[in-house]
Amino acid sequence: MMVTDTAAPRPALRWQTAEVLDVIGETARVKTLLLKLPDFTKYLPGQHVDVRLTADDGYQAQRSYSIASAPEDKHVALTVERIEDGEVSPYFTDEVRAGDKFEMRGPIGRYFVWTVKLEGPLFLIGGGSGIVPLMAMLRHRAAHASNTPARLLYSSRTQSDIIYRDELDRLVSRNDGLAVTHTLTREKPAGWIGHSGRIDVAMLAETGFTVDQRPKIFICGPTGFVEAAANALLAFGHDRALIKTERFGPTGR
């Protein structure tokens, strides 16, 4: 489940039926669902949605997922990581097929969002599936041919766990001011030229922008990951008002 650190009230939302148009494998544990909705409000990069599954006996399960697509994309995309003891994610990663339908409402949240109008520099820090809302921002940036200076520091467990790796490489190849740094926490394969180990103070200092550049910073991932990165950036002297965080944690449901 996604936990945001904003207390902003939710607008009135209504459930509608989303139809799965395609299922794309991202990694062994992660898939992207392309969805068609009858009337989905224009959304902002970084927003999320609620999804609701209803069993034949009427039991319902509800979860929140970040929107992976840019507002400029043709269809809404959700990227879901399989949680081994999860109640909802195994359905989306193992069972759902094109033509299946489920309930969805949104978009939700106006705190953890970035658009080209906000300019930059933009420093994105993601851990695991925390890359999803950050990817929506990068796709939006690319859709507008923006050259806003942007850097992504992305932590994955292994090389095969890197989500959107090929697309990230393509975005970097545009030479429009985007730099992507990967770090792997559980392996260092032969020929690997990225970092290894957890994101730390030195890595943030090396890959980020200076305090004087006043970057807009977005951090998304597990709670401990986000808190460690945010605290380090505050220790550097970055303006708290420019740091926005979004955390993933247990559902409690």
Side-chain angles (χ1 to χ4, degrees):
M1 187 186 77
M2 183 166 54
V3 181
T4 66
D5 57 357
T6 177
R10 291 184 175 186
L13 300 170
R14 66 180 179 84
W15 292 102
Q16 55 183 304
T17 301
E19 178 182 352
V20 179
L21 298 176
D22 197 7
V23 181
I24 302 168
E26 302 285 358
T27 73
R29 303 170 59 246
V30 177
K31 289 185 178 177
T32 291
L33 313 180
L34 294 184
L35 305 171
K36 178 182 178 182
L37 292 118
D39 181 23
F40 197 67
T41 303
K42 197 68 174 177
Y43 57 92
L44 299 172
Q47 288 190 295
H48 61 281
V49 297
D50 289 338
V51 301
R52 184 167 67 185
L53 302 180
T54 303
D56 292 340
D57 63 0
Y59 173 76
Q60 293 184 323
Q62 181 178 320
R63 297 290 185 273
S64 294
Y65 290 103
S66 295
I67 301 173
S69 48
E72 295 78 16
D73 292 350
K74 184 177 181 181
H75 300 296
V76 176
L78 302 183
T79 297
V80 180
E81 180 180 19
R82 190 183 199 284
I83 306 300
E84 294 305 323
D85 59 350
E87 189 177 37
V88 172
S89 65
Y91 168 74
F92 284 131
T93 57
D94 301 351
E95 300 181 35
V96 75
R97 300 288 184 271
D100 289 345
K101 298 178 180 178
F102 57 87
E103 291 181 291
M104 194 170 102
R105 67 180 180 183
I108 300 169
R110 300 182 66 86
Y111 174 78
F112 194 85
V113 299
W114 178 84
T115 71
V116 291
K117 293 180 180 178
L118 297 176
E119 300 182 339
L122 181 64
F123 188 25
L124 308 176
I125 304 167
S129 58
I131 184 65
V132 177
L134 310 182
M135 194 64 186
M137 297 175 189
L138 292 179
R139 286 169 169 164
H140 166 72
R141 176 180 177 276
H144 284 263
S146 168
N147 58 6
T148 295
R151 298 177 184 176
L152 168 65
L153 177 57
Y154 181 23
S155 175
S156 304
R157 286 175 293 191
T158 69
Q159 192 171 13
S160 61
D161 287 316
I162 298 175
I163 306 170
Y164 312 129
R165 185 180 182 186
D166 290 344
E167 184 175 355
L168 287 171
D169 288 345
R170 289 196 297 273
L171 290 177
V172 170
S173 71
R174 295 162 64 105
N175 295 316
D176 61 1
L178 171 65
V180 174
T181 301
H182 292 282
T183 185
L184 304 180
T185 60
R186 295 189 182 180
E187 70 173 12
K188 186 176 182 181
W192 175 250
I193 59 173
H195 288 259
S196 60
R198 297 183 182 279
I199 289 176
D200 57 18
V201 171
M203 209 180 296
L204 289 166
E206 176 186 339
T207 60
F209 295 93
T210 66
V211 172
D212 292 343
Q213 291 175 291
R214 294 187 58 76
K216 296 174 175 62
I217 303 171
F218 294 82
I219 312 170
C220 186
T223 297
F225 170 92
V226 170
E227 291 181 351
N231 288 336
L233 292 166
L234 289 173
F236 288 155
H238 286 281
D239 187 342
R240 182 184 298 273
L242 298 178
I243 302 174
K244 296 188 176 182
T245 65
E246 192 162 81
R247 292 156 284 145
F248 290 87
T251 65
R253 285 185 268 190

